[in-house]
Amino acid sequence: MQLVACENLTLGYEGEKVVSDLSFTVHAGDYLCIVGENGSGKSTLMKTLLGLKTQMAGRIEIGGGLENSEIGYLPQQTVVQKDFPASVREVVRSGCLNRSGIRPFYSKAEKQMAEDNMELLGIRMLAKRCYRELSGGQQQRTLLARALCAARKILLLDEPAAGLDPKAAADMYDLIERLNHDGITMIMISHDMEASVKYASHILHIGNQSALFFGTKKDYLESGAGHIYAGLGGAQA
């Protein structure tokens, strides 16, 4: 089932193009990694997919009955967010806000969903802890649990392992892979090329026109862009 189709997109900000003629599709169950150099337009693309920015040209189609309330988003953390003075439970439950509409409270089902997602990500014992007192890995698990409360079909992840130590980063990627195997479609921005080619089913490489690529991981590793940027050839296809 096709969830997202982008055709001939031109993206930019403040009137300046950063990438053009970008086309790709995302189907249910895919694990798409978006890679490319700094400033190539990866975060701009993700914000456009979320409806936070408007493309300069081209078309985005959302299919499969996908609604905004079924999309979870894990952005890069800011310094202010890392110091947020709320409990883990409060942060995770806030992922249900898009579902609750104008209701000033969480339903019993939403509260249970938050508890289930904390259990799934191994942070239920931290529920009463203050978010800003957690380690980087625990904070990212908390934010991923929050994103899961918003997601029913698809998760958009912007550098989910950024700033984590190698063990915490590996744990985070393993969690994301497990969620994908459980049926959540993933679209992830990553500078970690090794993780991208290990976990992704598809790669979208954006940058200058000569480096644009969309296809399976195997095809990427056999492409010119894959040889140059992944540096792995076809060995791990």
Side-chain angles (χ1 to χ4, degrees), residues 110-187:
E110 289 164 349
K111 291 178 180 179
Q112 187 59 50
M113 181 189 301
E115 298 300 312
D116 291 345
N117 285 329
M118 286 189 290
E119 182 72 31
L120 178 66
L121 297 188
I123 56 171
R124 194 167 185 179
M125 78 292 289
L126 304 174
K128 296 181 180 179
R129 288 274 302 278
C130 182
Y131 175 80
R132 64 184 177 190
E133 296 174 355
L134 304 180
S135 69
Q138 290 169 336
Q139 287 187 341
Q140 284 297 83
R141 284 173 179 254
T142 299
L143 293 179
L144 184 56
R146 179 186 186 276
L148 280 174
C149 284
R152 298 180 191 176
K153 293 183 179 179
I154 189 166
L155 267 175
L156 276 61
L157 312 167
D158 192 349
E159 295 287 355
L164 300 183
D165 63 59
K167 169 79 165 57
D171 288 345
M172 177 59 60
Y173 287 130
D174 286 344
L175 278 171
I176 294 167
E177 181 184 38
R178 178 152 51 93
L179 293 170
N180 179 242
H181 286 167
D182 287 344
I184 300 291
T185 302
M186 299 292 174
I187 301 178

Side-chain angles (χ1 to χ4, degrees), residues 160-221:
L164 300 183
D165 63 59
K167 169 79 165 57
D171 288 345
M172 177 59 60
Y173 287 130
D174 286 344
L175 278 171
I176 294 167
E177 181 184 38
R178 178 152 51 93
L179 293 170
N180 179 242
H181 286 167
D182 287 344
I184 300 291
T185 302
M186 299 292 174
I187 301 178
M188 182 177 76
I189 291 174
S190 180
H191 283 100
D192 187 338
M193 190 62 74
E194 183 178 353
S196 296
V197 298
K198 178 179 180 181
Y199 294 106
S201 63
H202 295 74
I203 300 284
L204 174 63
H205 190 125
I206 61 179
N208 60 56
Q209 292 303 113
S210 63
L212 283 179
F213 177 91
F214 169 68
T216 65
K217 173 176 62 179
K218 180 178 184 297
D219 288 343
Y220 178 68
L221 291 173

Side-chain angles (χ1 to χ4, degrees), residues 77-92 94 97 129-134 139 142-143 146:
Q77 277 204 86
T78 65
V79 173
V80 172
Q81 288 171 326
K82 289 181 180 180
D83 201 37
F84 194 60
S87 72
V88 168
R89 178 174 280 123
E90 289 170 330
V91 172
V92 175
S94 70
L97 288 174
R129 288 274 302 278
C130 182
Y131 175 80
R132 64 184 177 190
E133 296 174 355
L134 304 180
Q139 287 187 341
T142 299
L143 293 179
R146 179 186 186 276

